[in-house]
Amino acid sequence: MPDTPAAPVLLGDEPGSFPHSVLAERHPAIIRQVRDAFPYGPAQHRALDALLENCAEGTIQPLPAEAPDHGQWAAWGTDAYAGQSWYDVPWLWSESYFYRRLLGAVGYFGPGAWQGIDPFRPFKRAELDAPETDEELAALDALEGKTPQERGRALLHGSLWGNRADLGFRLSATGSASRAPVPALVADDSDRLWSLLSGTGTLCLVADNAGRELIPDLLLIAHLLDQGSVERAVLHIKPHPYYVSDATTADVIDAVRRLTGAPGAAAAYGHRLWSAMADGRLTVRAHAFSCAPLPYAEMPADLRAEFAAATLTIVKGDLNYRRLVGDRRWAPTTPFADVTAAFPGPVAALRTLKSDVITGLDADTVAALVAAEEQRWRTGGTHALIQVKG
């Protein structure tokens, strides 16, 4: 991801910046939370303490030679960045490598008894089992009397916002947003998105978080398959835990089971998803590049071919947006189509704004956002976008 004067790559070296706060404050807090979430033994405690110290005062070190992905990470950047401060390399890279090091510290890659144990599973399960999830699933019953178009719009907004609003709000969000001085939805290409779903071909959905944010993604997929908007769907998830809440295959299973075990319309959605997975209309894909610290412009040829063959790829969430457009300090009015030109097929971004990167806004919207909130709108999660390049 070479630097350019017009849009420099984001680093974490500026005190007071959002990337710096993630490296200096969020990562140490995550280490402590993971340490307290499991009855880890002395070896894991020593490794977590060493990682905590290294993140605060040390430099980037390569993975152990015996690590199964040593060569992969060397190609992804550890050879280039070894010996440098965590704050002086691209933020996307250092943030991703932190989670790889965290997995190593708790013994995820083994061998040993902790091999394959997701250090974030308690947090994911707590959210999935929360009473709020029951309330959101019960809200699906209210959609049954709506037209397919109304249900589709509600489920699209559900996927966009994740657990931020109930389905009743999502149904009315489009109409109310236009009256707000600073709309919650800062870009809306949803009409273009629907026009690309013509009833043929394959939808790829690149998932973001597990739990109450993965369920709306699955509901949207179930609706699109049921309505014949696409013939097949491929859900791209992570091959192993990544960041705190990113979805893995185990999280997909948990979410589908949560649906099938719920009352009312939610169970019907769950059974449709179960059947779609059984007959191959819905498949789950866990490509290694999904955990890469690199933008999608650098994806390998096999993944590029998959996305090129898709009718549409929906890219969910903030991290995937950063990887889609490049984790740079773009001017907010930089055209979305320009920064996604290298993506090999039609692509739609559904994203709640939780980091500095932003493209594709009109100048009036940017001015209104800055006047109302200064720069807080970029990272507070109170605004979202639907952007399409097709």
Side-chain angles (χ1 to χ4, degrees), residues 278-292:
D279 64 27
R281 287 178 297 127
L282 171 59
T283 57
V284 178
R285 182 83 160 98
H287 196 286
F289 190 77
S290 294
C291 290

Side-chain angles (χ1 to χ4, degrees), residues 322-345:
R322 291 164 57 194
R323 297 185 70 197
L324 176 64
V325 305
D327 204 34
R328 297 174 176 273
R329 200 176 299 277
W330 298 107
T333 54
T334 305
F336 178 74
D338 289 358
V339 295
T340 57
F343 198 85

Side-chain angles (χ1 to χ4, degrees), residues 18 161 164 318 352-356 373 375-383:
F18 185 70
W161 288 104
R164 286 192 51 85
D318 196 78
T352 304
L353 276 57
K354 297 178 182 177
S355 67
D356 290 310
E373 306 176 32
Q375 297 300 323
R376 294 187 300 276
W377 61 274
R378 291 174 175 261
T379 59
T382 56
H383 298 280

Side-chain angles (χ1 to χ4, degrees), residues 31-52:
I31 292 173
R32 297 185 184 100
Q33 289 169 352
V34 166
R35 180 189 175 112
D36 292 341
F38 284 92
Y40 288 125
Q44 281 89 3
H45 286 164
R46 286 193 296 270
L48 288 169
D49 290 343
L51 179 59
L52 183 63

Side-chain angles (χ1 to χ4, degrees), residues 61-119:
Q61 300 300 319
L63 296 176
E66 67 273 14
D69 52 352
H70 174 90
Q72 181 69 85
W73 272 96
W76 283 347
T78 52
D79 281 356
Y81 297 137
Q84 297 188 49
S85 166
W86 290 85
Y87 296 88
D88 292 337
V89 303
W91 179 44
L92 175 64
W93 196 94
S94 59
E95 195 176 14
S96 299
Y97 192 54
F98 164 78
Y99 286 100
R100 172 56 185 87
R101 290 287 308 278
L102 180 60
L103 291 179
V106 299
Y108 180 87
F109 293 103
W114 293 97
Q115 185 176 17
I117 301 300
D118 184 347

Side-chain angles (χ1 to χ4, degrees), residues 16-282:
S17 68
F18 185 70
H20 188 278
S21 71
V22 169
L23 297 175
E25 300 168 19
R26 183 183 296 178
H27 287 179
I30 289 170
I31 292 173
R32 297 185 184 100
Q33 289 169 352
V34 166
R35 180 189 175 112
D36 292 341
F38 284 92
Y40 288 125
Q44 281 89 3
H45 286 164
R46 286 193 296 270
L48 288 169
D49 290 343
L51 179 59
L52 183 63
E53 181 180 1
N54 179 254
C55 289
E57 303 172 7
T59 59
I60 292 166
Q61 300 300 319
L63 296 176
E66 67 273 14
D69 52 352
H70 174 90
Q72 181 69 85
W73 272 96
W76 283 347
T78 52
D79 281 356
Y81 297 137
Q84 297 188 49
S85 166
W86 290 85
Y87 296 88
D88 292 337
V89 303
W91 179 44
L92 175 64
W93 196 94
S94 59
E95 195 176 14
S96 299
Y97 192 54
F98 164 78
Y99 286 100
R100 172 56 185 87
R101 290 287 308 278
L102 180 60
L103 291 179
V106 299
Y108 180 87
F109 293 103
W114 293 97
Q115 185 176 17
I117 301 300
D118 184 347
F120 311 124
R121 183 168 175 79
F123 316 123
K124 296 174 180 178
R125 287 296 318 184
E127 182 182 278
L128 195 62
D129 294 338
E132 292 84 357
T133 305
D134 291 320
E135 296 171 7
E136 292 176 355
L137 296 182
L140 289 169
D141 294 343
L143 293 184
E144 292 303 285
K146 304 296 182 181
T147 67
Q149 292 76 19
E150 288 173 326
R151 288 200 303 275
R153 186 173 72 248
L155 294 171
L156 177 66
H157 280 261
S159 180
L160 170 66
W161 288 104
N163 61 3
R164 286 192 51 85
D166 63 44
L167 286 169
F169 169 81
R170 293 167 195 153
L171 274 173
S172 61
T174 303
S176 62
S178 62
R179 294 192 295 272
V182 183
L185 197 57
V186 297
D188 185 5
D189 294 341
S190 54
D191 288 344
R192 177 62 179 149
L193 185 153
W194 292 118
S195 73
L196 293 169
L197 301 175
S198 59
T200 61
T202 299
L203 169 74
C204 290
L205 192 150
V206 182
D208 185 28
N209 292 331
R212 287 166 61 201
E213 296 190 30
L214 179 60
I215 282 180
D217 298 340
L218 291 167
L219 295 173
L220 178 62
I221 288 173
H223 173 79
L224 295 176
L225 289 172
D226 187 55
Q227 294 299 312
S229 300
V230 291
E231 295 173 304
R232 295 170 301 279
V234 180
L235 179 66
H236 285 255
I237 45 82
K238 304 299 189 294
H240 56 71
Y242 189 59
Y243 287 55
V244 173
S245 54
D246 283 32
T248 65
T249 302
D251 300 315
V252 175
I253 295 168
D254 286 343
V256 174
R257 285 190 178 278
R258 184 71 163 89
L259 286 167
T260 58
Y269 278 98
H271 289 298
R272 286 200 289 270
L273 287 162
W274 196 289
S275 295
M277 295 177 76
D279 64 27
R281 287 178 297 127
L282 171 59

Side-chain angles (χ1 to χ4, degrees), residues 360-373:
L361 303 190
D362 64 63
D364 290 344
T365 298
V366 174
L369 288 164
V370 173
E373 306 176 32

